[in-house]
């Protein structure tokens, strides 16, 4: 499957998770067959990991971030269809810190799940937050909704898929 198809699958995942079908699936486990999506048994530790990641981005603690990024890490920005490895992702955020000041993420809303089969198999945490900063050149405030689906494995971040509200006047910031 292509990355675009993966992105589309994740884009539709949040709605699926909060539908009544998801709640029914969790209650209807029979035999050895698991439903497609269940509760992530490592939700607390995964959510702490994601909070550390967001806090570290705000503080420009890139060396610290490298400690909990998986060697095969990739970040897929669904707004731009770009795919970045760990070093490219950290370079992206360093560039953001050069253009913007006071980067912050609001207290995120987190929902952790386990996908039991298919191309998205693994532990995922869906993240809803608001990104805000001050543009260093124009001194205008930048603020938009920011969503992530973060795949974790063995206390490390394996993949991040992001999508966010896009303001055409600020598209170069993404």
């Amino acid at each position: 499957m292509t990355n675009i198809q993966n992105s589309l699958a994740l884009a539709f995942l949040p709605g699926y998770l909060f539908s009544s079908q998801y709640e029914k699936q969790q209650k209807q486990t029979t035999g050895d067959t698991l439903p497609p999506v269940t509760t992530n048994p490592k939700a607390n530790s995964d959510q702490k990991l994601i909070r550390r990641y967001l806090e570290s981005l705000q503080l420009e603690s890139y060396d610290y971030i490298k400690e909990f990024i998986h060697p095969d890490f990739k970040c897929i920005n669904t707004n731009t269809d770009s795919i970045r490895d760990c070093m490219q992702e950290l370079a992206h955020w360093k560039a953001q810190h050069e253009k913007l000041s006071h980067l912050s993420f609001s207290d995120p809303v987190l929902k952790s799940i386990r996908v039991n089969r298919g191309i998205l198999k693994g532990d995922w945490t869906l993240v809803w937050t608001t990104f805000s900063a001050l543009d260093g050149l124009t001194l205008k405030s930048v603020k938009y909704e920011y969503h992530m689906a973060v795949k974790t494995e063995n206390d490390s971040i394996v993949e991040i898929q992001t999508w966010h509200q896009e303001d055409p006047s600020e598209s170069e910031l993404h």
Side-chain angles (χ1 to χ4, degrees):
M1 295 214 126
T2 67
N3 288 325
I4 292 172
Q5 288 169 321
N6 289 346
S7 298
L8 287 173
L10 275 177
F12 290 106
L13 191 57
Y16 175 73
L17 293 176
F18 290 103
S19 72
S20 60
Q21 294 299 321
Y22 171 67
E23 296 299 325
K24 285 181 194 174
Q25 279 184 355
Q26 291 212 344
K27 295 175 186 170
Q28 293 178 351
T29 303
T30 57
D32 292 338
T33 305
L34 289 172
V37 178
T38 56
T39 302
N40 178 355
K42 295 179 57 185
N44 288 338
S45 64
D46 287 353
Q47 290 178 10
K48 285 180 186 175
L49 178 67
I50 292 162
R51 288 181 189 279
R52 280 189 2 229
Y53 175 75
L54 292 173
E55 290 167 4
S56 298
L57 286 177
Q58 293 173 144
L59 298 171
E60 300 181 72
S61 301
Y62 305 116
D63 288 335
Y64 180 60
I65 290 172
K66 289 178 193 174
E67 293 177 18
F68 53 84
I69 294 293
H70 192 275
D72 297 327
F73 171 85
K74 66 179 172 182
C75 180
I76 301 168
N77 182 324
T78 59
N79 289 69
T80 62
D81 289 329
S82 63
I83 301 173
R84 297 185 284 254
D85 64 19
C86 178
M87 298 310 292
Q88 293 166 326
E89 181 67 3
L90 295 179
H92 163 76
W93 283 106
K94 287 177 184 178
Q96 294 288 25
H97 274 279
E98 290 173 10
K99 294 178 194 174
L100 306 169
S101 59
H102 308 292
L103 272 78
S104 67
F105 294 95
S106 65
D107 189 26
V109 174
L110 305 166
K111 174 69 177 175
S112 295
I113 55 138
R114 174 167 284 171
V115 178
N116 294 305
R117 56 183 172 258
I119 62 170
L120 299 174
K121 185 176 181 174
D123 293 336
W124 290 88
T125 299
L126 305 172
V127 181
W128 292 268
T129 186
T130 301
F131 172 84
S132 59
L134 182 66
D135 185 312
L137 295 175
T138 65
L139 299 181
K140 287 184 180 178
S141 178
V142 176
K143 187 174 186 177
Y144 52 84
E145 297 302 312
Y146 196 84
H147 309 282
M148 298 188 300
V150 181
K151 184 175 185 179
T152 53
E153 182 179 291
N154 299 324
D155 297 316
S156 64
I157 296 174
V158 176
E159 181 176 332
I160 299 176
Q161 295 209 13
T162 66
W163 56 101
H164 45 80
Q165 170 189 333
E166 204 165 332
D167 182 346
S169 67
E170 296 160 355
S171 60
E172 72 279 355
L173 297 177
H174 309 295

